[in-house]
Structures are given as structure tokens and as C-alpha cells.
Amino acid sequence: MAPELDTPERLQPLLAELRGMEDRFHAASHAATPQDFGRIVAPDFWEIGASGRRYSRDFCLEVLSQRAAKPPEEAWVTRDWHVRELGSDHCLLTYTLEQPGRVTLRSTLWRRAGQGWQAVFHQGTVVLP
């Protein structure tokens, strides 16, 4: 049974801000750049991909650079966005990502830093049909 994931009204501005950053983090936006990634992804970032493998920040930056050079032809669709505060400087962003040929559940742990929010961890989990 799925939990109810309603983002409180007071967190809607934060949700909107992080949604835009998440698009740049994945290079899902044609406006995403490696410079964006460097600004919004913490130096100690790591990820567990939908493959189940662990990836470093450097590897993710390389993937972003490749995507930026050849953006996806089909738009990625996102839905079911939710943000939950985990403390004064941390929050968890979750959503569903639909790409051609697969659907994944995504979660990103964001930390407030001096220049704004930075991603410190991300995970993608494939949804089985």
C-alpha cells in the first residue's frame, strides 16, 4: 500500500525550487550545463543508479556532459513530486521519472549550503510492470 505523499502548502516554494534543480541535475532540461551540476551537486555526492550500481560525483558529471552534448530526443515525464523536511538544512525530494522504455522512482537528499541547495545523494529504482 503506497503512502500518502502530500507536500504541505508551506513547502510548495521549496518543492518548486528543487524540481528545477533536479532537471538540471539529470540534464533532463536542455538548459542543463556541467557548470549547473558543479554548483548544485555537493563534492561528497554519490548515487545508486537504477542499475543498482554506485556512482561517484565525477562519473555523474561525465554522464551529464555527454547528455548535454546530445540532449534526449524525447522529453522525460515526471510526476508525483513530494518534498519532506529532514531537519533545518536537509530535505528529501521524491518523484516518478518516465523515460522511453522505463519508469523509475527517484529520491534525492538535498542539503542547504552557503550558496543554496546541493544534492548529496540520489537513488533511482526501476518500477517493474
Side-chain angles (χ1 to χ4, degrees), residues 21-101:
M21 292 171 67
E22 196 78 17
D23 282 348
R24 292 182 183 279
F25 162 72
H26 281 298
S29 164
H30 292 294
T33 67
Q35 292 77 20
D36 286 333
F37 187 93
R39 182 177 48 79
I40 65 173
V41 177
D44 57 342
F45 172 87
W46 66 286
E47 167 178 329
I48 299 174
S51 65
R53 294 185 184 111
R54 292 184 187 108
Y55 297 107
S56 68
R57 181 184 193 274
D58 289 342
F59 178 84
C60 293
L61 178 57
E62 177 62 30
V63 169
L64 170 95
S65 297
Q66 292 171 8
R67 281 188 195 145
K70 187 177 184 296
E73 293 178 18
E74 298 181 33
W76 294 358
V77 176
T78 57
R79 59 182 164 83
D80 307 326
W81 290 89
H82 176 258
V83 67
R84 171 175 284 173
E85 287 181 303
L86 301 177
S88 61
D89 294 327
H90 291 83
C91 62
L92 177 66
L93 181 70
T94 59
Y95 57 99
T96 301
L97 174 62
E98 297 177 9
Q99 297 167 278

